[in-house]
Amino acid sequence: MRSLTAFLVLVVFFCSASERALAAKRVALVIGNSSYQNVPSLPNPANDAAAVTDMFKAAGFDVVESRRNLKNAELRRVLNNFYDSARDADFAVIYYAGHGIEVDGSNYIVPVDALLERDRDVVDETIPLDRVVQSIEPARQLRLIILDACRENPFAQNMKRSIATRGITRGLARVDPMTPNTLIAFAAKAGSTADDGNGKHSPFTTSILNHLTAPGLDLRKAFGIIRDEVMAATNNKQEPYVFGSLGGADVALVPAPVVPVAVAPQAPSAQDVATEVRREYEFAERVGTKEVWDYFLQAHSTGFYADLAKAQRNKLLAEEARVAATQQAKVAIDEQIRLAVQGALASEQANAAAKTKEAEEARLAAEKASEEAKVAVVAQTAAPVKVASLSDGTPATPNPPPVARIPDVPPSVSAPGREPSAKETLDWDKVKDSTDPAALQKYIKLYPGSPLSIKAQQRLDVLKQAAQEREEKARAEREAAKKAAEDARIQAEQQKAAKAAEAEQKAKAAEAAEQKAAEEARIRAEQQKAELASAKKREEDDRRAKAVEAELKAKAAEGERKTAEDARIQAEQQRKADLAAAKKRDEDDRRAKAAEAEKAKAAEAERKAADAKQKAEEAERAKAAALAEAERKKVELAAAQEAACKQEQTALEDLTAKGSEGSGVDDLKALSKSITCDRVKPLVVATLDKFSAEAAKRAAALPNSPELIRSAQTQLARLGCFSDKVDGVMSDKTQTALGHYLSIKAEPSGDGTVTEGLVSELTSQTDRVCPLECKAGQMAKGETCVAVAKPSEPTTASRHKNDADEVTPPRRTPAKRQAEREQPPRTAKPAQEAPRARQEAVAPNGGGGGGNSRPMIGVGF
């Protein structure tokens, strides 16, 4: 009895000291959108959200996140973050108060920055209810969404329909949750609207604050009470509705308080001790923690229930190992995805893949061990019960696990009336301890009036009751095993869905990061444009100031120039007079010197004639000698040139025989630089062109060659997957475009290598493969992105109308002219046949407007 009392005290201590640890983990997200930017504000959602937040905190929820007036991007980010909070939670609850909208049978919640000019904007500017449901899918026991969003839709009145038959109804549409243990509560049933109320809170939220977190109150009953109160408060105009289903057990957001029951002490018998051991086991099974099982095994180290306790403890350890392995596998998968998104080195990605594989194998092994532990518990429970002997304390032989004990009837007890005969007594002694119902029935049929038949009937009834209890226990065990298998299957499906949702969230996060980077680049470009305009204005102001200053200086300089001009004219007149006098003196001196020079010139002419005659004779003799020497050198040069030609011809033939592979091209280039024979030069040039063409053809056929990359870029641009410059460089954008194409074609991404086969595959595509993506403010129209049309401003003069009718051809910007100058010149006909891959990259696809290709049309604004 001391052992029993100590065990119960310790269990009560564990239950009270670790109540938070043993209780289910509960998380909640509360959103209230009141301050809408494009429609009238709602007064109550902010108040409702604040009150619901306080309610969940008072109920002891582990995590309560509260958000107000969320825009589109903020609302998506909050839902993604709450997904992480729900992953290790048992209960996950989302409460939303604000505007909601239904389009074509699908429900959406509306952020405060939504404009919704057209029905097609709903997909981009709102959040689908399915996205909200995905945020609570990881929760293990309960998923609850409460929508106080069935108000009148203010967007529907002015919303333009792209399809005339598209339905936009009042309120929200009916939903059918696909995940188990999921409830979605509407403030009003499908197709009707909810009243916002005149008080501080809406009628729906007021009733939720009064009943949802009542301790021990089942959720279905709580929502039934809420329904009755709301209908009474609105004169049956508003009927809250709940979609989804739960199991047979009660599910309360706040568990009912446990009231301890005092047990009067009594002296236990041996049978009572065995019963108490069973009760201790059942209580420890309800608590279900490792510490309680350890204490139970310390108190009862042997016996049937000790073996069951060991199996339960092993099941807990196996489950903990499975959860840890699952978490490690998730971390490894996240790391592998992160490295792939960031474009890490191949070695790092390979290491991450290996770690992911090891973690996945460990997870599978842990799951297998957990399943084996669960099977061991079921098998142990179904095993024969080992009950200690009540007489001497020695273990008894294994018996079937009867629930009901067959009482022994004392021989002295007999039915009133008459004493049994000797034969009746003798036959009764043979069957009184039998467990065979047929033998007892045979005895009753043989001696129907015997007093012993009453005892036989009593024993027969007990045997039937024991068989029935055994059958019920076996059926309960089968149902438990079936439920465990179903729970395991549901958990596997949830994990699979969680992984898919997580991968989708990461892809969307990467897409959002790209959009954010593009938006930041656009803002920076606009800032630079504004700075350039400001700098241009400053330069214009400086130019005008300098022009005024220059004009003033020019006028001052003009006055100085006139004064200087007068002084110059006077000086010029004086200079002319001085020059005339000097000229007259120089003329007299020249005439005197000319007479003397004439005499000297005649003497010099005679002397030069004599010298010229002598030099002519000497030149005639030198010319004859030079002609003879030149003839001799010509003969020697001809012989030397012939020898050099033969030597260079031999070298050319050797290089030609060697071929263009290896160092053939370089050797031939070196020979072309040192060639002297005019007869061999054309042959060397022709051979060099041939070698170069062969080398270029081999280089172009190599994977990731610039020619193949340029061809792939051209085809990807034609298919709508690539929009960057075609430069033959394997850039990140080229790899991204190639990966995008392969993912759309459901082909493996490989290692990003461009081959002739890949270029041929791209060239064979006749239609656009990658969908057209337009920037903000644009929309897809055919194969182009055009700006969203804005309302036209009224014209103020006929001149504007005429100007609008005239179409001014777009002028080429400096950037376009620079890009055209940077493009390599095209030749009408190449001298040598280029490689096939390069021809496909340069030639325009389907030229002349023929074939199945469509021209790319750009629209500028």
Side-chain angles (χ1 to χ4, degrees), residues 142-162:
L142 173 67
R143 308 165 189 88
L144 174 61
I145 296 176
I146 304 173
L147 296 179
D148 192 358
C150 303
R151 299 167 173 84
E152 283 287 354
N153 178 16
F155 298 96
Q157 298 177 359
N158 300 323
M159 185 181 296
K160 299 177 181 179
R161 267 59 162 191
S162 60

Side-chain angles (χ1 to χ4, degrees), residues 554-568:
K555 290 181 179 180
E558 181 66 18
E560 295 177 356
R561 186 188 64 78
K562 288 182 177 180
T563 303
E565 182 67 18
D566 294 339
R568 185 189 64 78

Side-chain angles (χ1 to χ4, degrees), residues 80-93:
N80 288 339
N81 294 337
F82 188 71
Y83 178 89
D84 297 331
S85 300
R87 291 178 62 179
D88 59 346
D90 298 289
F91 289 9
V93 183

Side-chain angles (χ1 to χ4, degrees), residues 31-51:
I31 301 172
N33 283 349
S34 289
S35 303
Y36 283 88
Q37 299 175 3
N38 301 300
V39 294
S41 299
L42 296 174
N44 281 342
N47 300 332
D48 296 345

Side-chain angles (χ1 to χ4, degrees), residues 281-329:
Y281 172 83
E282 292 175 349
F283 192 82
E285 186 177 20
R286 286 197 298 272
V287 176
T289 62
K290 176 177 174 296
E291 292 79 4
V292 173
W293 287 122
D294 289 340
Y295 185 80
F296 180 88
L297 291 173
Q298 290 178 5
H300 310 286
S301 58
T302 60
F304 172 70
Y305 289 105
D307 295 338
L308 283 179
K310 292 176 183 178
Q312 293 282 8
R313 185 178 182 277
N314 292 337
K315 183 179 76 171
L316 285 177
L317 295 177
E319 181 63 17
E320 291 177 358
R322 184 194 67 78
V323 172
T326 301
Q327 184 65 22
Q328 292 178 357

Side-chain angles (χ1 to χ4, degrees), residues 521-551:
R522 184 189 65 78
I523 293 174
R524 286 196 299 270
E526 291 180 353
Q527 291 176 349
Q528 292 176 357
K529 183 178 180 181
E531 290 175 358
L532 289 175
S534 178
K536 185 176 181 180
K537 186 176 182 300
R538 288 195 301 270
E539 291 177 358
E540 182 65 19
D541 294 341
D542 293 342
R543 185 188 64 77
R544 291 178 180 176
K546 290 179 179 179
V548 173
E549 183 180 359
E551 185 178 358

Side-chain angles (χ1 to χ4, degrees), residues 578-594:
D578 295 340
L579 286 177
K583 185 176 181 182
K584 187 174 182 302
R585 289 193 301 269
D586 292 340
E587 183 65 21
D588 294 340
D589 294 338
R590 184 187 64 78
R591 288 176 180 176
K593 290 179 180 180

